[in-house]
Amino acid sequence: MHVVVIGALVENGAVLLVHRSPTRRAYPDLWDLPGGHVEAGESERQALAREMHEEIGVHIVAESSSPVGDLHLGSGEDAVHVAVWHVGAWVGTPTNCAPDEHDDIAWVATGELGDLPLVHGGVVGLVRKVVGAAGFEPATPRL
């Protein structure tokens, strides 16, 4: 089973999404939370920190990250366990540091998530849970 971590960076009631390039083999031309595969010997939190830096150029504050939920996709050899994490604080401004993987990044209001073609439709409920827990209050998560 493949294990993937994705992170929800939330600011002012919006979540950061990445748009997967149309040339990608897996899930082309869809929106997703940034993240990627957990490598051998890595914890989910370590993989999340590495992926956030590689893909969007931010350093997450590890203590601020917490698991939100899990998604299970496929079966057999193609089974994927997707761990969804909330990233409460980070250092840096998100930018597209992986243009070969993503052709765009955007802050999307949670009310608009259902209107986008997403890799994992189950992410919508999990992200809304994170934003709801924050009370939709404006925050300044960068340190």
Side-chain angles (χ1 to χ4, degrees):
M1 175 180 293
H2 304 281
V3 179
V4 171
V5 291
I6 54 177
L9 282 71
V10 178
E11 186 172 59
N12 299 322
V15 64
L16 183 73
L17 296 180
V18 295
H19 186 260
R20 294 176 63 85
S21 172
T23 60
R24 295 289 306 218
R25 183 179 58 81
Y27 307 109
D29 205 23
L30 297 173
W31 289 93
D32 200 4
L33 295 171
H37 291 274
V38 176
E39 295 179 357
E42 271 185 326
S43 69
E44 287 183 5
R45 183 171 272 141
Q46 289 169 328
L48 181 68
R50 178 183 49 76
E51 289 287 349
M52 294 299 108
H53 185 255
E54 289 175 0
E55 291 194 1
I56 58 173
V58 300
H59 294 280
I60 66 171
V61 177
E63 316 74 65
S64 78
S65 343
S66 57
V68 177
D70 299 300
L71 303 169
H72 300 278
L73 309 169
S75 61
E77 289 183 19
D78 295 329
V80 178
H81 169 93
V82 181
V84 182
W85 286 68
H86 173 231
V87 178
W90 61 89
V91 177
T93 301
T95 56
N96 184 6
C97 296
D100 54 323
E101 295 181 31
H102 311 115
D103 59 6
D104 197 8
I105 66 171
W107 289 99
V108 178
T110 56
E112 298 173 8
L113 288 174
D115 299 333
L116 293 174
L118 299 169
V119 170
H120 315 289
V123 163
V124 174
L126 294 174
V127 168
R128 287 185 178 151
K129 176 178 157 182
V130 168
V131 173
F136 295 98
E137 293 180 22
T140 308
R142 285 180 232 112
L143 299 177

